[in-house]
Every structure is written in structure tokens, then in C-alpha cells.
Amino acid sequence: MINFDIVLFPILLLAIIIGGVVLLIKFSSKQFPALRRKERWLLPLYGAVLIACGIVLAILDPFEEHSASGEGERRDFISLYDHMYSGNTEGIDAEYIRKDWEFTYSEKVLQITSSPSEELMASIFVEKVAGLGDEIEVIYYETPLYMNGEDMSGYIHPPDVTLSDGVVNILNPGENGYQEVELNMLRDPFTFNQFTGRTFMGDENGSTIIHGENVILIRVGEEKTLDLDPDSYIEYVNE
Amino acid sequence: MSLNKMSLGRLVGEQYLFKWKAFAGVFNSMVALQLLAIVFTWGGTGMHGTSMGNVSLWMNYYSTDGVIGLTLVWVFFTSILITTKSYRNDDYLFITNRLSSNLANMAFLLSASTVAGLTAVFSQYLIQMIQYLRGNTFLTEALPLTTGEWLSGTAATILYVLFIGTIGYFIGNVVQLHRMLIIIVPVGLLGFLFIYDFNEPGFVSLYEFYFRETAFGLFAVKIIGTVFLLFLANILVSNRQEVRK
Amino acid sequence: MNMVECDRLTKKQGSVYALNELNIQIKKNTITGLIGRNGAGKTTLLKILAGLWKPTTGHVEVLKVNPFNSLTVSANVAYINDEMDFPNALTLSEILQTGKRFYGNWDSQLAERLFKYFSFNPNQLHTHLSKGKASTFNMIFGLAARCEITLFDEPTTGMDASVRKDFNRALLKDYLAHPRTMIISSHHLEELEEVLEDILVIKNGKALLHEPIDVIRNYAIGLTGRSELVRQWVTNKQVLYTEDVGANTCYAVVKNEEIDIEKAKRLGMQVTTVSASDVCVYLTNQTTGGIDDVFK
């Protein structure tokens, strides 16, 4: 659904500006006969439209702040999988926690599934922890996704986790569990990049995408019996 | 009757003003080409993305590269155009000599380059506005340009346009030397483009000399110096030339 | 004072000599008719005088300087021809305004009056004018520029008779009000005769004759009579033209010198004057015969 207020306002503003320019030319053509010829309108009109667009954009400021850090990309990330397979889940730095959930569940048997089950944006690991009792901790870890040296993780929605009727369900975000993120960015032309060292796509290192790792860790008390959905590729930590 | 005395400076000034009127049409083709290039940015000029499982992340890049590129094409042909008979003979309807005509043409080329360069840079606002009306918002650059970077980039755009324009003007003037050159020069240039190995060190170093220069000051000196030399060559080439029918 | 001086002026175009060792001097404040057939070198001469072309050999001076690429000459010589291709970006009135900016002596009042008189539309484009209208406009431009030297190259091309008459009147009046040096080329003297002071006839790139118009008017006489008689009379005289006008009757044009007109009349020949324009036609003919000779 298009938001008409947002679309109409700039169109109206643009129409007013173009109309104003045309009137101005009409008026000035009386003062300056050189402008009377239609062929000479195009350039001033075009220039006026460009500047008008610049002004309108400056007023509306429809730009989204870049959530990327802008710092150069880091390549010294830990491997979340290594931590999972080695069982050293306590050793993961808190900076990689994107989201976490806590549930209390007193029954013995706990089912874990994901939807859609075939594909999930994160790998699911389960860890049985002594002394957790009825607590269930779900933690979504993420190492950043770099596109052209900039951190893009912020544009990807994390999964959601629910607990109901003895089932922990890990839900992919987005419609039908499918997430499509399209971003727009204006890059400087080559005449600018020659001196700033930027490139059209990417940084000095060229256009690169570095995938991070996405892991969901479910920690439950060790006395619980788990019923894992076989379609969901759920693994145990340290196995 | 008293002799009409006109200094070279005043004459060049009058010719320059006359050219703004007489050559006004060339800007219409510029606007048309720039608008064409803007339309081509509709879906983005570059795309980059990834998908992992059920997440896909795409980044559409927009830039005024195409607008600047077409502007360079435009200025090349426009500056050849103003050396052709129907334009060059305009001067001889009024007062002129070859020097004043060249000076006025260069002054016009300089200001046309400024206009073309500025509109090419400013065309980004129209590109953004089109995307905004389509409902796409832009991300800001993580590191916005400093005023100095913006000014030097804009000036560099103007210098690029001026550079190509001066080359076109020079080629046009050389072609005017002799009828046969109208055929020889384009054929020679095209043949050169096909046969020449652009990886040859001479060309590479020439390319790097101008287009890999990362210090704006040096770049400006190189471009302005070259433009100046080409301009002197223009005066030498055309000074002995007769006015064609 | 000579405004124009040519000394053995030669212009070679390809293998053809458009001008061949031409010597002329043109005095200040005269109107000279430059008469010659097509290809005689009229346009070449005017283009060299205007500084557009440079001579192959020989010497040329306009306003005491070499005209080629000269700013002084460009500023003080208006060269009006039918090739004038004013830019389409300018309307007629804008062209006149531009002329005013360039020429220090520009006469706006004259330009405006003539513009109105010949009922031009100020917003029209030069390319949209008919041939005759374009010639008229160019003439207005040339007169209004009020240059020290004004060169008209076949200015009346395409004009109809009444406009041509107006053109002559305008030219003469403006010349009297503001004397200057004018050269008007034409292959047809008749239409210009009333305004010219001097006639310069050129043929094959050479100056054949450069005299005041009155001299040309008395330059030759026509004799009509029995063929044998006329033929006998004109031997050893400079014959410009002969024509058989009937059975055994012949018309000859001879240079008006050492001709005993009274005796000719007594012998039954008819003696007629030859108009200046006919003199020019005969002088510039390639042969002494006319087109009739081709069909003999």
C-alpha cells in the first residue's frame, strides 16, 4: 500500500516549483527578450528542476541513516560453530548476541521445531545445562555480514522464538518465512572517487561480501527430555 | 566616417555573448542526453547482493556515472560541431579574426563545460527524487563527503568535460585543414581503436597520468596544462585557414 | 586616398586562376560596380578584400593593411553576399541587435526603418526567408553596419523589380548621407547603373576596364549598314561585337575612337550609341561573336 501523503507531497511541491519557474521565465521574458525563444527555456528549466529536487530532498530528508558502522570491516571474528562444536558456549563474547529470549517451562518433555522447517536463516543448537531447572534460554548469535566492507547485519531481521503447548518454535521472519531486503544507495561518480579512493561498488578491496555466521542456541535444563523435529536439522552442542 | 575600432578583449567578449545565443541549441541535446541517462538509472546502475537460506539482501547502487559519461560524449561531438562550417562561419558574419574566434570558442567551451559538469553532478538529486517517488529511500553514505571532497569532485567533473571538449575542438579544427581529413581522421581514429593495444605501456602510463592521479591539485594542473597546450595548437592550426564556403 | 590596392593579385584554385595578376586601386568614397561574367573572379576578389581568403601571390591592401585575418579590416569592411548564413538560434531582430553590438557605427534607426519598410517580421528566422527577402535583409544589415568599406556581392539576387529599385534608392540616399567606399558586384550592370560612379570590368581574373561610368557610356558606338561596308570600316578597329541583322545587313560595335561618325552617316550607315551595360556585356563576352555564332 502506497502512502499517498508521502508520495503526493513532493509531487505537489515539485509541481509548484516547476510552475513557479515557468511563471518566472514568462515574467522575465518580458524583461529579457532573449529568453522569449522556447529553445532557450530547456536548460534553465532543467537546471531549476535539478536544484528544486535538491532543495526538496534537503527539506524532506528521506534518507535512512546508514546503520553500518562505517568502520572498515573486521576479519578477526570468532567462529560461532567452533564454539558450538567444542561446547565452549560460555566463551562467546556478549557482543555477538543479537537477541535472546527466556521462558519457563515445567513439563518434562520439550519439543523443538522451526518454521519453515526446511530452511532457517540460522543453525540451531541445543545445549543441556545442569542447574537450569525449568528455565529455557534461547540466544541468537550473529557475526556480522559485510557487504563491500560495511556491516549490513542490521538490515536483516532476527528470527523469532515462541513457546506454547510444550513446543519451542523458531520462526523465520518475513512473509512465509522468506526475507527479502532491498536497499538503495547513491554512490559518488567516478570523478569523485578518483580523489576519495572509493569505488562505485565496494571499497578499496573491491566488491566483496563476507557472510557471518548465524546460530541459535537453546539452553535447557539437563533433566528435560527433548523431542527434536527431524526436519529442522537441530544439533547438540559438543557433539 | 570614423574607423570602427574594437579591442581584441572587447571583441572576444561580444563574440562570447553572441555564442551563448547562437549555440543555445547545443544545450538542448545535452539536457536530452542527461535525461536519457537519468532514465537509465531507474532500476539502479549497479546491484550487489547475497542470499543465504531464506534471507536475501540486495543493495541497489545509483550513481551519476552514466550521466557524466553521456555528457562527455556530448561535449566531444558538440565541440567538433562548433568547428564545422555552419557554426564557425557565424563569426564571419560580424567582426572577427581567427584568434578572437578561437578565444571566444574556448571561453564558450569553458562555460559550457561548467554548465554540463554542474548539471551532471546535480542530476543526482533528480535520480534520488525519482527513486523517492517510487517509494525507495536511500541510505546515506556511512562517511559523507567533506565539503572539500565535494568541491574537488565537482571541479574534476567540469575538468573532465573541458578536457574531452578541448580534444574534440582540436580534432574538429584539424579536420577543417583539408577536405580529405574529413574522411581520413575518423577512419584513422576508428582503425586506431580497433588495432591499438590499449595495454601498451605508453597508453597505460598516459591513462595513469591523467585518470589515476589521486591528488586533485596535480590532476587540475595536468588537465589545465593539456587544455592550454591544445588551445595553442588550435590557434596555430586555424590561423592560416581560409574561410570556407 | 586609396582604400583598396591590388598589385598583381593572383588566386589559384586548383589549377584554375580565379584571379590572374589583377591590378586595381579603389579611391575613398566611391561606389564601384564590379562587373564580370559568372566565374570571372568577382566573388574571389571580394572575399580576399574582406580578409576571408588569402591571395596565392601578389599584394593586396585594404585600409593600408593586409586584409587576411586582420581585425581592422574585419571591423571596417562589411561583406554582404547571398551565402550569409545567420544562425537559426537568432531571430531577425536579434541579428540586428547583435550587429549593433559589434559595429561601432551601426545605424539602428536606419536598420529599424528599412526593416519596417520592407515589412519584416522581427521574430522570423533568417533561413525561413525567401531568396529575395534574405537578400533584402542582408542589404539592410550591410547598410546599417555603416562600415568604411561595404562590399555587396550580387546583392539583388532574387529581389523583384520594385524591391531592386528601392534598394538602389536606399543605397544611394544612405551613401549621400554617409559617404563611404562601396563595391557592388553584379553580372548585370543595367539594374545598378544609376547608383554607380565607377565601373570595374573583370574577365578571366584580370581587370579589363576601370573607368567612371560616363566614360563607359561613350566607350563604343554601334554601326549598322551593308555588310561589306561595315566590315571594311571596322578593320583595324577594336571590334567588340558583330551581328548579322538581316540579309546583307550587319551591326558592329566598335570602340569609340578614330571613327568619323559624320562620314559613316554620309555613307548610309546608321550610327547608334551603345549603353554602358551593353558595353560591359560585349567586353566580357568570351568571343567577339554572340550566341548566334554557335548556330552557324
Side-chain angles (χ1 to χ4, degrees):
Chain A
M1 182 69 195
I2 307 165
N3 189 339
F4 278 103
D5 284 351
I6 290 176
V7 177
L8 273 180
F9 175 61
I11 289 179
L12 216 67
L13 201 60
L14 207 65
I16 290 168
I17 288 171
I18 291 174
V21 168
V22 168
L23 280 178
L24 193 75
I25 288 175
K26 275 227 160 155
F27 170 75
S28 55
S29 71
K30 281 193 186 126
Q31 314 295 321
F32 309 101
L35 281 172
R36 211 169 286 162
R37 302 281 304 285
K38 286 188 205 77
E39 301 94 288
R40 295 181 196 145
W41 285 24
L42 194 54
L43 181 66
L45 191 68
Y46 176 62
V49 167
L50 293 185
I51 291 167
C53 285
I55 293 170
V56 170
L57 288 172
I59 294 169
L60 292 179
D61 194 25
F63 304 102
E64 235 175 87
E65 277 304 318
H66 205 317
S67 69
S69 62
E71 295 161 18
E73 84 190 31
R74 283 167 53 189
R75 288 169 190 269
D76 57 342
F77 291 114
I78 57 159
S79 166
L80 294 173
Y81 290 113
D82 284 354
H83 281 269
M84 293 298 152
Y85 293 126
S86 67
N88 181 20
T89 53
E90 301 286 341
I92 301 174
D93 197 307
E95 70 167 302
Y96 301 112
I97 299 174
R98 176 85 186 272
K99 203 171 173 184
D100 56 5
W101 300 261
E102 268 179 37
F103 304 101
T104 318
Y105 181 69
S106 49
E107 303 289 322
K108 176 92 169 105
V109 180
L110 181 67
Q111 267 186 298
I112 300 178
T113 185
S114 66
S115 65
S117 52
E118 320 80 52
E119 251 183 323
L120 188 69
M121 58 186 289
S123 309
I124 306 167
F125 287 90
V126 187
E127 186 181 18
K128 287 194 167 175
V129 184
L132 213 55
D134 286 345
E135 293 284 302
I136 300 172
E137 286 178 12
V138 184
I139 308 156
Y140 173 54
Y141 292 103
E142 184 182 75
T143 54
L145 166 75
Y146 277 102
M147 197 183 267
N148 302 329
E150 290 183 78
D151 187 353
M152 290 291 155
S153 331
Y155 294 103
I156 300 170
H157 296 290
D160 206 5
V161 179
T162 56
L163 171 68
S164 60
D165 302 330
V167 182
V168 172
N169 195 2
I170 298 156
L171 299 157
N172 257 335
E175 249 177 273
N176 306 320
Y178 196 83
Q179 216 185 139
E180 211 171 339
V181 182
E182 212 175 304
L183 301 166
N184 298 289
M185 201 163 179
L186 187 83
R187 300 310 292 246
D188 301 318
F190 65 96
T191 45
F192 284 61
N193 293 337
Q194 187 174 343
F195 308 105
T196 55
R198 300 177 187 183
T199 55
F200 171 56
M201 288 200 288
D203 59 356
E204 306 85 36
N205 304 318
S207 65
T208 49
I209 294 175
I210 293 177
H211 289 262
E213 292 169 347
N214 311 58
V215 165
I216 286 193
L217 177 64
I218 303 165
R219 307 179 80 200
V220 292
E222 63 182 340
E223 61 284 351
K224 300 281 180 194
T225 307
L226 296 178
D227 175 9
L228 305 181
D229 183 350
D231 290 335
S232 296
Y233 307 108
I234 301 170
E235 294 171 81
Y236 280 98
V237 167
N238 199 12
E239 264 181 21
Chain B
M1 197 171 296
S2 64
L3 278 185
N4 181 14
K5 283 196 189 68
M6 202 170 207
S7 69
L8 184 67
R10 230 200 93 207
L11 175 60
V12 171
E14 290 296 345
Q15 281 184 310
Y16 171 75
L17 290 178
F18 167 67
K19 274 166 204 299
W20 265 103
K21 283 185 191 163
F23 296 173
V26 302
F27 289 108
N28 294 343
S29 55
M30 183 203 78
V31 172
L33 279 175
Q34 291 196 350
L35 284 174
L36 184 75
I38 290 170
V39 167
F40 278 135
T41 64
W42 183 267
T45 37
M47 209 180 183
H48 198 162
T50 181
S51 69
M52 22 176 194
N54 38 17
V55 176
S56 76
L57 176 67
W58 290 98
M59 179 75 109
N60 288 322
Y61 292 106
Y62 300 83
S63 85
T64 50
D65 278 350
V67 180
I68 294 176
L70 274 188
T71 304
L72 294 179
V73 172
W74 167 81
V75 77
F76 181 73
F77 287 107
T78 298
S79 48
I80 288 180
L81 186 75
I82 65 171
T83 66
T84 55
K85 189 186 78 186
S86 56
Y87 283 89
R88 86 166 31 218
N89 287 3
D90 282 354
D91 283 337
Y92 291 91
L93 298 167
F94 304 99
I95 300 170
T96 192
N97 65 6
R98 277 94 188 140
L99 178 65
S100 74
S101 176
N102 266 313
L103 287 170
N105 273 337
M106 276 314 286
F108 176 76
L109 217 53
L110 181 66
S111 31
S113 302
T114 309
V115 168
L118 283 179
T119 51
V121 169
F122 287 157
S123 71
Q124 61 160 303
Y125 299 131
L126 190 53
I127 292 174
Q128 282 173 318
M129 184 53 95
I130 289 170
Q131 296 305 324
Y132 175 60
L133 294 179
R134 288 183 64 201
N136 294 334
T137 40
F138 276 92
L139 303 183
T140 49
E141 274 285 358
L143 291 171
L145 290 175
T146 62
T147 312
E149 280 173 334
W150 191 88
L151 286 176
S152 62
T154 306
T157 311
I158 293 169
L159 286 174
Y160 263 96
V161 180
L162 179 68
F163 184 59
I164 300 296
T166 313
I167 291 173
Y169 186 66
F170 180 68
I171 290 175
N173 263 331
V174 168
V175 166
Q176 295 298 319
L177 275 179
H178 196 274
R179 263 172 244 276
M180 284 305 289
L181 288 171
I182 294 173
I183 300 161
I184 293 170
V185 169
V187 170
L189 276 179
L190 272 179
F192 179 79
L193 287 179
F194 277 113
I195 295 164
Y196 189 68
D197 171 20
F198 285 98
N199 294 319
E200 200 250 326
F203 180 80
V204 170
S205 55
L206 199 67
Y207 176 80
E208 286 180 346
F209 179 73
Y210 291 113
F211 307 123
R212 284 277 170 270
E213 177 57 63
T214 53
F216 174 73
L218 276 176
F219 172 80
V221 167
K222 285 171 179 178
I223 295 287
I224 291 169
T226 311
V227 164
F228 186 70
L229 287 178
L230 278 173
F231 177 48
L232 284 184
N234 273 318
I235 292 174
L236 291 178
V237 161
S238 61
N239 227 13
R240 301 296 302 154
Q241 248 172 294
E242 296 192 329
V243 180
R244 287 259 179 77
K245 267 196 273 197
Chain C
M1 185 188 150
N2 288 332
M3 300 304 274
V4 172
E5 266 184 73
C6 298
D7 183 23
R8 281 181 292 151
L9 181 65
T10 301
K11 177 72 185 175
K12 213 175 159 186
Q13 285 176 315
S15 56
V16 178
Y17 285 92
L19 293 178
N20 194 355
E21 310 225 320
L22 179 87
N23 298 311
I24 50 164
Q25 279 110 34
I26 288 172
K27 283 189 226 31
K28 193 177 163 89
N29 299 345
T30 53
I31 303 187
T32 306
L34 179 62
I35 310 295
R37 303 288 292 260
N38 294 335
K42 302 186 299 285
T43 297
T44 309
L45 175 62
L46 293 180
K47 286 205 165 172
I48 288 175
L49 296 184
L52 301 182
W53 290 359
K54 51 178 185 252
T56 311
T57 56
H59 185 73
V60 59
E61 261 183 21
V62 175
L63 300 165
K64 301 284 167 208
V65 294
N66 175 10
F68 185 73
N69 212 7
S70 156
L71 215 54
T72 318
V73 169
S74 186
N76 292 287
V77 176
Y79 173 53
I80 305 301
N81 56 42
D82 60 0
E83 285 164 6
M84 291 178 100
D85 191 8
F86 287 100
N88 281 337
L90 273 75
T91 61
L92 294 182
S93 67
E94 284 173 330
I95 293 171
L96 294 181
Q97 284 159 17
T98 311
K100 185 184 167 133
R101 300 189 69 97
F102 276 95
Y103 292 102
N105 296 326
W106 184 268
D107 190 340
S108 313
Q109 235 184 1
L110 177 74
E112 225 162 274
R113 283 184 182 163
L114 287 173
F115 197 79
K116 276 212 186 96
Y117 177 80
F118 289 108
S119 48
F120 281 100
N121 173 359
N123 293 323
Q124 212 173 357
L125 298 182
H126 194 266
T127 36
H128 294 162
L129 294 174
S130 72
K131 191 126 184 132
K133 273 285 204 183
S135 296
T136 312
F137 179 81
N138 296 347
M139 179 265 302
I140 295 175
F141 186 85
L143 286 181
R146 266 225 242 131
C147 287
E148 186 62 50
I149 298 177
T150 309
L151 310 172
F152 285 108
D153 193 358
E154 313 237 345
T156 53
T157 312
M159 288 185 190
D160 62 40
S162 76
V163 174
R164 213 179 295 155
K165 245 188 190 149
D166 286 340
F167 168 77
N168 286 348
R169 302 278 314 156
L171 190 95
L172 204 56
K173 289 217 158 189
D174 198 50
Y175 172 71
L176 292 175
H178 307 281
R180 57 193 123 157
T181 311
M182 290 190 187
I183 303 178
I184 309 172
S185 92
S186 176
H187 47 257
H188 207 65
L189 177 63
E190 214 165 20
E191 52 191 47
L192 284 172
E193 207 180 320
E194 50 180 318
V195 298
L196 299 179
E197 292 172 282
D198 289 331
I199 304 282
L200 169 63
V201 181
I202 66 171
K203 184 179 173 181
N204 298 334
K206 280 182 187 294
L208 209 62
L209 196 72
H210 188 184
E211 300 285 355
I213 188 113
D214 293 336
V215 174
I216 311 280
R217 287 199 179 113
N218 297 313
Y219 186 81
I221 54 164
L223 298 172
T224 318
R226 285 208 342 272
S227 295
E228 312 94 73
L229 193 64
V230 171
R231 291 244 158 79
Q232 185 200 328
W233 256 70
V234 300
T235 37
N236 300 327
K237 304 244 159 45
Q238 200 183 329
V239 183
L240 303 181
Y241 182 71
T242 56
E243 188 188 357
D244 292 322
V245 286
N248 218 10
T249 311
C250 167
Y251 170 69
V253 176
V254 291
K255 200 171 171 195
N256 189 6
E257 52 187 13
E258 298 164 25
I259 302 266
D260 192 340
I261 294 170
E262 291 308 310
K263 197 179 173 193
K265 280 183 179 166
R266 262 184 281 128
L267 285 170
M269 280 185 282
Q270 226 181 317
V271 180
T272 48
T273 57
V274 182
S275 72
S277 89
D278 283 343
V279 167
C280 290
V281 169
Y282 299 145
L283 278 173
T284 54
N285 270 351
Q286 294 301 316
T287 56
T288 46
I291 187 78
D292 287 347
D293 295 343
V294 176
F295 298 97
K296 268 180 186 167

